[in-house]
Amino acid sequence: MAASVLLSLEASRAEILPHEGGVLARFLMQGHSLLANTPWADSIRRSPTIAPDEKTWVEQWRGGWQLCAPNTGSAGQGSASPAFHGAASQADWRVVASSETALELNWLDSKGEVELTRRWKLDEDGVVSTETSAKNHSTEVRAVGFAEHLILGSDFLDSVKNGSTVFLDICPKASIVELDYSGAPTGKRASVPTCDPQFVELSIEQPAKVFAIADPERKSVTVQLEDWVAKVEWDGLDHALVWQEFGTSKEHPWNGQVFALGIEPTNVAHGLGANDLEGPFLQPGQTISWKTSLQITRKASGSNDRTS
């Protein structure tokens, strides 16, 4: 089977790697690459083992958009088989069906308990979307964490390097939950209208950070940078994480070279993942589903509107 699957519609192109977590490795519109691509992406060789920790996971990370599941963050580190960002984010997914504009994938954990089905699709107007379902085949309640690890970068963030500011439009009824860089809550929380501007106006002068958008009524985030506009919409997940890395992390392998902006719908309003005390939980026999889409547009020349 081919290492990658290519989808194409009008001026949009998508490259998906079923054997590497079903990741959408590249999304191009009119020749512009819009998702983050790590400097070490071309040197990665697929590992036969699941990365148990962040360091190993990052070394295998190409960028792009993938699903963190059946848990997120460092959850499971104390287990016999830890998997940073979840085993499904790195595993071999089975191709169920494919066409020129869509791809359906399936993944089942090693115990045959949690099954994921995922369908990628290209739509008109520069939209790429995914519909995902998770089913618990076991007879026990399972704590599950899901996060759409959707990371903008490449041509989309190019002007950040020259000092341009990224503006975020977030539901005004949501809360901003401050997290430390491990994804753990600091205890600080504010409404969007009263939050520190650093959470909605992002620049290269700021340190790398992660924060959560908790319980938005309008489940969408619009990102504007110069003439680029990216709109992430989702349904079926309660929150989203925002990750900002604008060349500020100097340690290996980042080396100050990674420019990435994650807009990541999730069912957990922090980066530590689900746990057996607080959940979220998937009941025996239960199936849950969610949808996420990314639309990229470019504003007309001369427009000064921050969002569209």
Side-chain angles (χ1 to χ4, degrees), residues 105-149:
L105 302 170
N106 178 268
W107 177 85
L108 185 66
D109 71 11
S110 60
K111 295 182 180 180
E113 296 178 343
V114 178
E115 181 179 16
L116 301 170
T117 299
R118 190 161 171 85
R119 186 173 188 265
W120 288 104
K121 183 182 179 184
L122 282 182
D123 292 302
E124 296 178 353
D125 301 322
V127 177
V128 58
S129 63
T130 181
E131 298 185 21
T132 306
S133 64
K135 182 172 184 178
N136 181 4
H137 289 284
S138 78
T139 58
E140 299 181 4
V141 175
R142 295 294 182 222
V144 291
F146 304 116
E148 295 287 344
H149 200 254

Side-chain angles (χ1 to χ4, degrees), residues 177-249:
V177 180
E178 183 180 290
L179 309 175
D180 65 26
Y181 204 57
S182 73
T186 66
K188 296 180 180 179
R189 187 180 182 121
S191 66
V192 170
T194 62
C195 73
D196 190 314
Q198 69 166 324
F199 295 112
V200 292
E201 298 180 13
L202 315 179
S203 74
I204 197 172
E205 298 176 355
Q206 300 166 350
K209 60 177 174 282
V210 181
F211 62 92
I213 301 169
D215 302 306
E217 287 187 8
R218 186 192 77 215
K219 291 182 169 58
S220 68
V221 174
T222 300
V223 182
Q224 183 174 315
L225 176 61
E226 297 295 336
D227 57 346
W228 285 111
V229 179
K231 187 173 185 179
V232 178
E233 295 183 280
W234 68 96
D235 182 53
L237 299 172
D238 291 332
H239 320 289
L241 299 180
V242 176
W243 171 47
Q244 175 187 343
E245 171 55 70
F246 290 170
T248 50
S249 295

Side-chain angles (χ1 to χ4, degrees), residues 273-305:
N275 62 67
D276 291 335
L277 293 177
E278 301 172 318
F281 298 105
L282 193 60
Q283 301 296 322
Q286 183 184 14
T287 299
I288 61 173
S289 302
W290 63 93
K291 301 177 182 180
T292 310
S293 67
L294 168 65
Q295 181 179 33
I296 303 287
T297 56
R298 299 195 80 170
K299 295 190 303 175
S301 177
S303 172
N304 292 318
D305 294 338

Side-chain angles (χ1 to χ4, degrees), residues 33 36-37 39 153-166 202-205 225-226 245-248 256-260:
S33 184
N37 186 251
S154 302
D155 295 338
F156 185 86
L157 291 182
D158 195 51
S159 64
V160 167
K161 302 173 185 178
N162 298 320
S164 294
T165 298
V166 174
L202 315 179
S203 74
I204 197 172
E205 298 176 355
L225 176 61
E226 297 295 336
E245 171 55 70
F246 290 170
T248 50
Q257 298 177 337
V258 176
F259 284 76

